[in-house]
Amino acid sequence: VWVHETVHDHPMKGYELYYWPGIQGRGEFIRLALEHTRARYVDVAREPGGMDRMMAFMNGTEAHAPFAPPFLRHADQTIAQVANVLRYIAPRLALVPPASEPLQTWAHQLQLTITDLVAETHDTHHPSAVSKTYEDQKAAAVERAPSFTRERLPKYLGYFERVLERGDRKHLVGRARSYVDLSMFQVVAGLRYAFPKAMKRVEPTTPLITKVHDVVCEELEPYLTSPRRLAFNEKGIFRHYPELDK
Amino acid sequence: VWVHETVHDHPMKGYELYYWPGIQGRGEFIRLALEHTRARYVDVAREPGGMDRMMAFMNGTEAHAPFAPPFLRHADQTIAQVANVLRYIAPRLALVPPASEPLQTWAHQLQLTITDLVAETHDTHHPSAVSKTYEDQKAAAVERAPSFTRERLPKYLGYFERVLERGDRKHLVGRARSYVDLSMFQVVAGLRYAFPKAMKRVEPTTPLITKVHDVVCEELEPYLTSPRRLAFNEKGIFRHYPELDK
């Protein structure tokens, strides 16, 4: 791991994660960073009364209220947007080199590219309106899906494969485990759940990504086998609708 | 402006911006930060031979090659993803407090929310496939547009209006001009071009945003009246298709 010469503000207070209970969703990318490093945190909305606390932040008058969950509370700050939260916590958790702005910027750039891939994955089942159900936009979804599974998915994973090829082949950032590897694990796991046929076509062309997934999966085993890890389901980002997996 | 106690690496070399010529597009958010502060920069792809230089970076073997334009070259770094580029240059250009991590994190959070709004704006004319033309997905676009103009657009602008109400009412971040204000100007200008009817409905409910737009517009006047500012057109993000403006 990176040398741990990091700023620890309020280390005893830990982190508060706020996210919809019942799905992995976007919150999972933050959860994996906290779990991989055994950070002390509370998953607030899964605690008794936690949903009320989350909604109070969303509807309150705090100056820095977020647009949407997930968000993190830490050291009297409220921080939203997944990639922004990861950029904030990663130096503190030694999931990126705490003293290197160039590597932090590079890691964040990769994470934002993962964010784009996640957004396009979400849009496969919600091409018309966030506010409508999948069933109400199924026809548009079926029309859109092939451009994702045949064009965008191989393009994104091909890009990350080349990043690994140009690096040490084991880590997306530098030569140690970063939060970007953890997010890549989650993306591969989610895409395998949602698009098993497409991933069977694409993964043979991205063996280094598969290897990162497998190694991270082992590292996360205590978490992944705990009740804290929710199962993928058809309310999250990665949904298995066979008619879209073409 | 923020006190200018910033790290200036290679100040004489200036910045190199790489983006598709012919459109404002996502590159414009970076351009506005450089132009507002009179930073020294080259808009590489608009120079003779510049497109070849840009494609060489895209197709080359550099370790940190970006997924897509725009990207910035500065101090031997290649930096991509608009919000990431802005987070990098803003402390150097005094467009965010250079010494305040909390305000930089907050500014970035707002910028990433603007990024989401921009992506949803883009998807109004490309709901089915990035690789197809608008004409090939016009039916799906017409079906999708109302959920944007009637739900998402008012929701996003309403959020930013509340941020202004809770702050000093003139600046989205703290009490001075930040790059987030410049991006908000661009979003309002683009949305007025693309969706004039919808904006006539929404803007009366967001007077502080309109005011930020107007003041920033004056500050940017030397740039906006120069040949460097391209016109909005139907190849960029903000496109005027009357059938979508419902």
Side-chain angles (χ1 to χ4, degrees):
Chain A
V1 299
W2 315 106
V3 182
H4 207 118
E5 40 170 314
T6 145
V7 194
H8 270 294
D9 9 33
H10 304 246
M12 302 309 293
K13 287 184 68 178
Y15 298 92
E16 286 187 341
L17 174 64
Y18 293 76
Y19 192 60
W20 308 114
I23 58 171
Q24 293 181 19
R26 289 181 169 84
E28 194 70 8
F29 296 96
I30 301 168
R31 224 173 258 131
L32 292 185
L34 296 167
E35 291 280 352
H36 190 275
T37 55
R38 281 34 169 202
R40 184 206 290 240
Y41 79 103
V42 180
D43 208 333
V44 176
R46 290 199 204 163
E47 302 280 313
M51 270 298 284
D52 290 343
R53 287 185 62 199
M54 184 165 95
M55 296 318 290
F57 268 111
M58 297 299 299
N59 301 325
T61 56
E62 205 209 0
H64 291 188
F67 182 75
F71 56 94
L72 195 80
R73 291 273 307 164
H74 184 240
D76 299 324
Q77 281 186 79
T78 307
I79 305 168
Q81 286 280 355
V82 171
N84 190 41
V85 172
L86 289 169
R87 198 191 191 292
Y88 173 85
I89 62 174
R92 292 166 168 83
L93 301 174
L95 279 174
V96 82
S100 169
E101 191 200 6
L103 278 187
Q104 288 186 39
T105 299
W106 168 236
H108 191 53
Q109 175 176 325
L110 292 175
Q111 189 66 37
L112 288 170
T113 307
I114 289 175
T115 302
D116 288 344
L117 168 55
V118 168
E120 292 190 34
T121 304
H122 171 270
D123 289 353
T124 58
H125 50 76
H126 275 75
S128 296
V130 178
S131 57
K132 290 191 214 162
T133 66
Y134 169 66
E135 285 66 28
D136 283 344
Q137 49 198 311
K138 190 169 164 179
V142 169
E143 185 193 335
R144 183 190 166 115
S147 87
F148 179 76
T149 55
R150 299 276 172 182
E151 296 166 22
R152 303 297 288 172
L153 175 56
K155 182 173 175 175
Y156 275 108
L157 293 189
Y159 171 73
F160 290 112
E161 182 76 7
R162 287 195 303 283
V163 170
L164 287 165
E165 286 169 358
R166 293 164 183 177
D168 77 350
R169 306 175 70 84
K170 294 177 181 173
H171 306 96
L172 284 155
V173 177
R175 297 177 167 272
R177 183 66 67 232
S178 74
Y179 66 93
V180 183
D181 299 329
L182 309 183
S183 292
M184 186 53 59
F185 155 80
Q186 177 67 8
V187 163
V188 170
L191 290 171
R192 282 181 186 175
Y193 173 81
F195 302 101
K197 284 187 194 167
M199 285 298 275
K200 280 215 178 79
R201 277 197 312 273
V202 175
E203 277 205 69
T205 68
T206 58
L208 297 178
I209 289 180
T210 299
K211 184 71 183 167
V212 167
H213 166 276
D214 294 350
V215 176
V216 170
C217 189
E218 282 177 35
E219 294 170 6
L220 286 169
E221 206 250 345
Y223 166 63
L224 296 176
T225 56
S226 78
R228 299 190 301 287
R229 171 78 165 183
L230 300 169
F232 287 110
N233 62 43
E234 279 54 57
K235 294 179 184 294
I237 293 165
F238 298 104
R239 305 188 186 187
H240 181 52
Y241 297 126
E243 61 273 21
L244 302 184
D245 184 20
K246 293 289 161 68
Chain B
V1 299
W2 315 107
V3 181
H4 206 117
E5 41 168 313
T6 143
V7 194
H8 269 296
D9 10 33
H10 304 245
M12 303 309 294
K13 288 184 69 178
Y15 298 92
E16 287 186 343
L17 174 64
Y18 292 76
Y19 193 58
W20 308 115
I23 58 170
Q24 293 181 17
R26 287 181 169 84
E28 193 70 7
F29 296 95
I30 301 168
R31 224 174 258 128
L32 292 185
L34 296 167
E35 291 281 352
H36 191 275
T37 55
R38 271 69 158 178
R40 184 207 289 241
Y41 79 102
V42 180
D43 208 333
V44 176
R46 289 200 205 163
E47 302 280 313
M51 270 298 284
D52 291 342
R53 288 184 63 198
M54 183 165 96
M55 296 318 290
F57 268 111
M58 296 298 301
N59 301 325
T61 56
E62 205 207 359
H64 292 188
F67 182 75
F71 56 93
L72 195 80
R73 291 274 306 163
H74 184 241
D76 298 325
Q77 280 187 79
T78 307
I79 304 167
Q81 286 279 354
V82 171
N84 191 41
V85 172
L86 289 168
R87 197 191 193 291
Y88 174 86
I89 62 175
R92 293 167 168 83
L93 300 174
L95 279 173
V96 82
S100 169
E101 191 200 6
L103 278 186
Q104 289 187 38
T105 300
W106 168 236
H108 191 53
Q109 176 175 325
L110 292 175
Q111 188 66 37
L112 287 170
T113 306
I114 289 175
T115 302
D116 289 343
L117 169 54
V118 168
E120 292 190 33
T121 304
H122 171 271
D123 289 352
T124 57
H125 49 76
H126 274 77
S128 297
V130 178
S131 57
K132 290 191 213 162
T133 65
Y134 170 66
E135 285 68 28
D136 283 345
Q137 50 199 307
K138 189 169 163 179
V142 169
E143 186 193 334
R144 183 192 166 111
S147 87
F148 179 76
T149 55
R150 299 275 172 182
E151 296 166 22
R152 303 296 289 171
L153 175 54
K155 181 173 176 175
Y156 275 108
L157 293 189
Y159 171 72
F160 291 111
E161 182 75 7
R162 287 195 303 280
V163 169
L164 286 165
E165 286 170 358
R166 292 165 184 177
D168 77 351
R169 306 175 69 85
K170 295 177 180 173
H171 306 96
L172 284 156
V173 177
R175 298 177 166 273
R177 183 66 67 232
S178 74
Y179 66 93
V180 183
D181 298 329
L182 309 183
S183 292
M184 185 53 60
F185 155 79
Q186 176 67 7
V187 163
V188 170
L191 289 171
R192 283 182 185 175
Y193 174 80
F195 301 100
K197 285 187 194 167
M199 286 297 275
K200 279 211 179 83
R201 276 198 311 273
V202 176
E203 277 203 69
T205 68
T206 59
L208 298 177
I209 289 180
T210 299
K211 185 71 184 166
V212 168
H213 166 277
D214 295 350
V215 176
V216 169
C217 189
E218 282 176 33
E219 294 170 6
L220 285 169
E221 204 250 346
Y223 166 62
L224 296 176
T225 56
S226 79
R228 300 190 301 287
R229 171 78 167 185
L230 299 169
F232 286 110
N233 61 42
E234 278 56 55
K235 293 179 184 297
I237 293 165
F238 299 103
R239 306 188 186 186
H240 181 51
Y241 297 127
E243 62 273 21
L244 303 185
D245 185 19
K246 295 290 160 68

